[in-house]
Structures are given as structure tokens and as C-alpha cells.
Amino acid sequence: MVMGEDVLRLRSRGQSAPPLSDEALARACAGGDPGAASALFDRFRGPVARTIYRLVGGGSDVEDLVQSTFLEVARGRSVWDDRASVLTWLLAIATNVVRHHRRATGRRLRLVSAMAWARAEERPAARPEARIELARAQKALADLGEELREAFVLCQLEGLSAREAAQVLGTSEAAVWVRVSKARKAIRAAVLGDEP
Amino acid sequence: MSELHRTVDSWLREGRPEPMSPAVREHLDGCAPCRAALAEVEEVGGWFPDPPELLGPESVEAVRFRLLAEARARRDQSPPPSEVSRASWPRVAAVAAAVVLVAGAAALVLRLMSGHQEARGEAAPLAVVRPAPGAVVRQLESPPHEVYRLVDGSASFSVRKLAAGQTLRVIVGEDLIVVRGTRFRLQARSGRLEAVEVSEGLVSLLLGDSRELRLAAGQTWRRDPIAVARRAVADHGEEGDGAGLDAERVTPATEEVTRPAVPRRTRRPRAPAVVDSPAVRGPGLDQAFHEAWGMLRSGDPRAAAARFDELLRRPDLGERRADVLFWSARAHQDAGQSSVARERLGDIVRSHPGAWHAAEARSALGEASAADGGTR
Ligand SMILES: [Zn+2]
């Protein structure tokens, strides 16, 4: 299992070995390489954690859900194929993990309104209404239906293309784009007090 | 929303790839509705700033470790025989087990290098491992992220100062030990961790049930002795062989400390999460909570503590009680009343073990007792 050690070595700085591509890492995972899942975690935990955070509205579940996402990979329950990018594949797993979690717990979305306020407070010289906007936007996102929220988070906040988001969500590109537009409209209305 | 023109619309659909193509730029320059549409998209994006770092270093380490253990377990379900024996020792003690066991006395220093590593001239291992007779230890990964698995028996680890980017971990069953430059000893039985004894440095212990402990020099962690004894009896009965290691014999009679901890003094105060459920939202609760929290943030922990404590007397707190307890603890701690702070944290751990603060409370409790240990 030379591969395992090679993958592990990726994580140390200053190594001369060229880094594996995302795809090679994902293939190493599929091949049961023991170090590959944690190497993928190191490489992609940022966007995965952020997406989960936004889908669940923050809270303490984020870490567990991030771990669950990568455990799916480590356990070989989800295997990358080259139909989508590695990030798209991981976000698809994360989205499913969040959906299952929500259904399993039956919990309402947590609102990190306090956190939103705190962040607003930390912004020097921000317009006073900026705080209100931030908190309202968080609440509006939480109030969206699951489908709209997912499309909005992936496209608007994570910068995926509508096509990639469609791969994540298992729907059409057109459907995604409609959801993003609806979500944006609803959030704007909630924040600015417009009539939708 | 304005109707978008096709060039700009496709660019938006593609996730606004940078750099913007000249065609898109040109269209935007000449088309007010498209400019307005883009401004709207950007405005909405601006309401969702990137969150702060979501996973702290300790969390990252824990997840990484768990993934490694899982991926290993997956592979071990169909173990390639050469892989198993490569990093193991020949058997000496008459312990009934179908695994390869350790040769040599406790004093014998065994460098767990595989031939494979030597052939490639890799760096020396980060740890010197001294297994007790009959113990089974395997090296799973080599530096810079060295990983061992202790299957059975006890073994002492002496870890040299780790350089940046180096990690050393030991897996025992579902439990994980994360090591900084340190000396410690582990005891396992049939793949289950039973005791950790630290003689130097610091060891993080990530238990399979998700608890995290941090052990400093002089501290020993031991699994519930009743469970250990029960298991020992069961093992004995099944195997019909009295030569197995006794947990009681191997574990020294050091003072037992079970100290939950992830001390991190420099951590910035994290804003409270709020469960927005009408059932737990009494009138004025949010406002009172934010006022108290605002006092704490503005540097008046005494006033904040009083306000949080006042809140604690409300009967309608519901799930938010854990929030209030947590911030009351924080305020009391900052006001120098650490015994009250500890009480509050203890209350969270006891009354709200499932709350998101419980882990934080346990870690803060560890921090508080570490501080006490250091100054008294
Ligand atoms: Zn236009």
C-alpha cells in the first residue's frame, strides 16, 4: 500500500512530492486507500463545512455533519465517479447528510441570529442598518424551503454553476436556476421589506 | 427582478467565473438592466459573509483521526496478510491470541520500522515504543503522520519533540490518542483501550463515544473498572487461558484523574447559538439574553453575570437554559468567580449533556482545573 503513505505525506508542508490532483485523491479513496479520506478532508473541509453551516443555519451540528460527510467517503459508501468534480461530489454527500439529519431529528432550523448580530457588531463603521440586514438575511435563509435554500447556498454563496448545483441536487439546471432566483427574491424582500 | 440578457445570464449561471470575459464586460457596460441585476446578486451575497473558522484545530484533528481509523477498519476487513505481519512482532508470551505478538522484555527498545520504509530511506520514527511482554502494537503509518495501533497489552511510548507538520497518534479500538512530545503508557485488552498513563507532556484522548480528554503528566485515565473486570472475566472464560494480561496488574496505582478538557485560553468568545423555537421563547427572553451578552462583550462581566443569573431563574427557558448557563459561566469566569463558573458548567454537563455547549463546557472545566493545578 504505497499509495497510502504517499497520500498521507501530502499533508506535510515542504515535501517535494507533487500533490495529487483532486481526482487522483478521490480515486485513491475509492480504491480503499486509508489516508485518502483524511487528505480529501484536509483539502475540502473549508467549502464542505461552510456549505453545511449555511444549510443548517449554524449551530453545534456542523462539526458532526462534516465528519459524517467524510465518513461516507472513508467507509466507501459513496464513491466518486468522473461525472462530476470532486467538490461537487462532496457537496452532494454533504447535502444528503444534512437532509437526513434534518429528517432524523425533525428539528427546526437553528438560527444563528446572535452570531449574525455579533458579526455585524464587529464590523467597524458599518451602517447601523447593516446589522439588521444581516440578521434578517439569516432568518430569511432559514425560512426558505429546503429546495430553495439548497440551490441558493450552492449557487449564490458557494459559487457553483447552475449545472454543478443540478448535479448536487439531482435536478435540472433550469430548475436550479429558478430556485436560485426565487430564493434571492424572497431574501431581498425579507431584508429590504419589499413586497415580493 | 429585471430580465437578464443572455450573455450575462449565462455568466451568472456559470457561477460568475473570473476573470469576466470581454463579452460579458462589454454587455454590462452597455446595459443598465443587466448591471442592476448583477448589483442585486452582489448585494444579496453581501448579506452572507463567510463564517469564521468553523472547525478548530482540535476538531480537525479528531475528524482526521476518525477518518483514518475508519478507512483502516474498512481495509482491515479484508487484510492483505503481508501488510499485517510487516509491522508486527514475533510472538513470545503464551497469550492465547491469533495475532503476532511481541518479543523481548519491557526494557527492549523496539523501533517499529518496516523494511519497506528502510528501503526508501525514510526519516526515523517519531516514537520509540516499548511494548510489555505479550503486547501487540502495530505501526500503521510512517512519519510525518505516524500512526500506531495497540491491539492488546500495554506499551510505553516515548515521543520526540514533534516538528511542525508531524503528528503521532495511537489507535486503540474506537479510541484515539493524539500526542504531543511526551511519554505515556497505554493498556489495552482485545482491541479495547483500558488505561492511559502520562508521565511527561500532554496527551489528548478521543474516546469512541466522542468524549475528549486531555491528560497531563502524572495523570492516569482508566476505563470504568467494573466494565474492565467484567470484560476480563468474559475474555478469560472464552479463551480458557489464564496467561492474558490483567488490567489490575499492568495499571499502576497512580491517582486516577478523569479530566475532560480541551483547554484553549486564547479562543475568542463564541457567540451563542439560538434555537428559534416558539416553545422555548418566553416574552423578552431574547432581549434580556442579548443585553446580558452585550454587557459581557463590552467588558462588564459582573453585570453580565448578574443578568444571566437573573435569567436562570426564569421558568420558561427550555432548551435555552444551556445557553444561559454557558454564558453565565463565562461571565463569572471573566469576573474572577471561577467556582461559580465551574458550578454552571457542571450544571450544563449534568442537565444538558446533549446541548451544543456540553462539549465546550467540558473543555472549559478542564481549562479551569488546569489553571487551578498550575497556580496552587
Ligand atoms: Zn443586458
Side-chain angles (χ1 to χ4, degrees):
Chain A
M1 287 282 155
V2 174
M3 186 55 137
E5 285 157 15
D6 285 346
V7 169
L8 279 171
R9 201 168 307 116
L10 279 179
R11 295 209 299 265
S12 75
R13 269 166 285 152
Q15 288 282 341
S16 53
L20 291 182
S21 67
D22 297 347
E23 291 74 19
L25 258 185
R27 258 182 245 116
C29 271
D33 185 281
S38 41
L40 270 183
F41 167 71
D42 281 346
R43 195 173 288 188
F44 289 102
R45 65 173 187 258
V48 168
R50 206 166 51 224
T51 300
I52 288 173
Y53 168 89
R54 284 167 161 160
L55 288 177
V56 299
S60 62
D61 299 331
V62 173
E63 183 182 330
D64 283 350
L65 295 172
V66 171
Q67 175 167 287
S68 300
T69 299
F70 286 95
L71 277 176
E72 291 292 298
V73 175
R75 289 170 176 160
R77 289 200 195 135
S78 181
V79 172
W80 178 75
D81 57 38
D82 50 14
R83 284 177 303 174
S85 76
V86 175
L87 176 63
T88 303
W89 167 61
L90 289 171
L91 292 181
I93 302 172
T95 307
N96 273 321
V97 163
V98 169
R99 285 179 187 168
H100 280 121
H101 170 73
R102 178 145 320 129
R103 266 149 224 172
T105 58
R107 220 182 294 165
R108 274 183 56 111
L109 205 60
R110 278 167 194 274
L111 281 184
V112 279
S113 54
M115 204 176 269
W117 284 95
R119 280 205 301 272
E121 279 172 28
E122 281 163 11
R123 307 186 144 200
R127 292 171 300 130
E129 61 268 36
R131 289 182 204 177
I132 299 163
E133 287 174 0
L134 255 153
R136 279 184 180 171
Q138 292 273 355
K139 175 151 172 34
L141 180 61
D143 287 346
L144 290 178
E146 188 170 73
E147 286 189 342
L148 297 194
R149 181 168 49 248
E150 287 170 351
F152 179 82
V153 166
L154 293 170
C155 288
Q156 167 91 45
L157 303 183
E158 286 305 310
L160 260 58
S161 71
R163 192 172 146 267
E164 290 167 323
Q167 288 175 326
V168 169
L169 301 173
T171 184
S172 71
E173 191 181 328
V176 166
W177 202 236
V178 169
R179 289 175 197 172
V180 174
S181 304
K182 278 188 183 167
R184 199 183 284 136
K185 201 166 175 181
I187 291 170
R188 276 181 62 83
V191 172
L192 302 175
D194 294 347
E195 284 306 309
Chain B
M1 190 187 292
S2 333
E3 192 192 321
L4 298 177
H5 292 192
R6 185 158 295 282
T7 332
V8 172
D9 184 48
S10 333
W11 174 71
L12 287 174
R13 276 188 193 226
E14 282 159 24
R16 288 174 278 158
E18 295 288 346
M20 194 184 270
S21 76
V24 174
R25 164 61 49 215
E26 198 177 311
H27 183 96
L28 276 173
D29 286 348
C31 179
C34 278
R35 278 202 304 277
L38 175 58
E40 282 189 12
V41 169
E42 284 173 347
E43 182 182 34
V44 172
W47 295 329
F48 297 91
D50 278 353
E53 196 59 59
L54 292 167
L55 305 177
E58 206 76 28
S59 306
V60 167
E61 187 65 13
V63 175
R64 211 185 257 158
F65 211 173
R66 181 79 197 280
L67 291 172
L68 197 63
E70 288 287 337
R72 279 281 167 189
R74 177 184 162 208
R75 199 183 68 172
D76 289 352
Q77 281 163 6
S78 50
S82 62
E83 173 69 17
V84 174
S85 54
R86 171 168 72 79
S88 309
W89 294 289
R91 171 176 179 161
V92 149
V95 176
V99 286
V100 186
L101 299 174
V102 172
L108 178 64
V109 176
L110 286 170
R111 294 184 169 268
L112 307 180
M113 288 178 68
S114 65
H116 178 120
Q117 283 168 268
E118 280 163 355
R120 294 197 312 201
E122 287 201 1
L126 304 176
V128 174
V129 184
R130 295 180 180 84
V136 183
V137 186
R138 294 177 188 152
Q139 182 174 2
L140 302 181
E141 306 292 344
S142 37
H145 298 286
E146 198 160 292
V147 180
Y148 295 91
R149 174 179 288 153
L150 174 62
V151 179
D152 211 353
S154 89
S156 299
F157 292 75
S158 186
V159 185
R160 64 166 193 236
K161 265 273 180 273
L162 300 179
Q166 292 180 327
T167 61
L168 189 130
R169 310 163 214 181
V170 186
I171 299 175
V172 187
E174 296 187 322
D175 305 317
L176 317 162
I177 294 97
V178 182
V179 177
R180 278 128 205 141
T182 201
R183 295 162 95 83
F184 63 100
R185 198 157 72 101
L186 303 179
Q187 167 73 31
R189 175 184 289 272
S190 308
R192 193 174 135 95
L193 181 66
E194 293 188 339
V196 181
E197 179 194 330
V198 181
S199 48
E200 206 179 292
L202 201 61
V203 166
S204 289
L205 180 57
L206 311 171
L207 295 170
D209 60 9
S210 301
R211 276 179 302 144
E212 293 186 14
L213 314 177
R214 182 167 284 196
L215 301 176
Q219 291 187 306
T220 298
W221 172 87
R222 208 168 302 142
R223 203 179 287 283
D224 172 18
I226 295 168
V228 170
R230 208 175 279 142
R231 192 179 166 89
V233 169
D235 288 354
H236 195 86
E238 274 167 32
E239 294 170 2
D241 182 344
L245 291 178
D246 283 338
E248 301 76 41
R249 201 186 78 207
V250 189
T251 309
T254 30
E255 183 196 1
E256 177 166 351
V257 185
T258 304
R259 198 190 64 180
V262 185
R264 212 174 297 126
R265 285 221 159 271
T266 52
R267 187 158 48 192
R268 297 177 53 195
R270 206 196 276 171
V274 176
V275 179
D276 186 53
S277 152
V280 297
R281 224 177 167 180
L285 178 54
D286 274 337
Q287 202 197 334
F289 184 81
H290 282 288
E291 274 173 22
W293 198 62
M295 290 173 180
L296 184 59
R297 280 183 63 87
S298 64
D300 192 353
R302 268 170 200 286
R307 186 61 66 89
F308 281 122
D309 287 352
E310 211 172 279
L311 263 172
L312 277 177
R313 287 192 282 275
R314 287 176 66 132
D316 59 347
L317 286 176
E319 291 175 47
R320 304 269 313 257
R321 187 162 175 275
D323 276 308
V324 180
L325 278 170
F326 184 82
W327 289 97
S328 166
R330 176 102 213 180
H332 280 290
Q333 182 70 40
D334 289 359
Q337 299 149 342
S338 57
S339 63
V340 186
R342 267 200 296 271
E343 255 170 56
R344 300 281 184 271
L345 295 171
D347 195 346
I348 296 175
V349 174
R350 279 192 311 277
S351 319
H352 308 275
W356 74 273
H357 318 73
E360 192 110 353
R362 287 189 198 102
S363 82
L365 271 175
E367 188 176 307
S369 58
D372 288 352
T375 53
R376 279 166 208 179

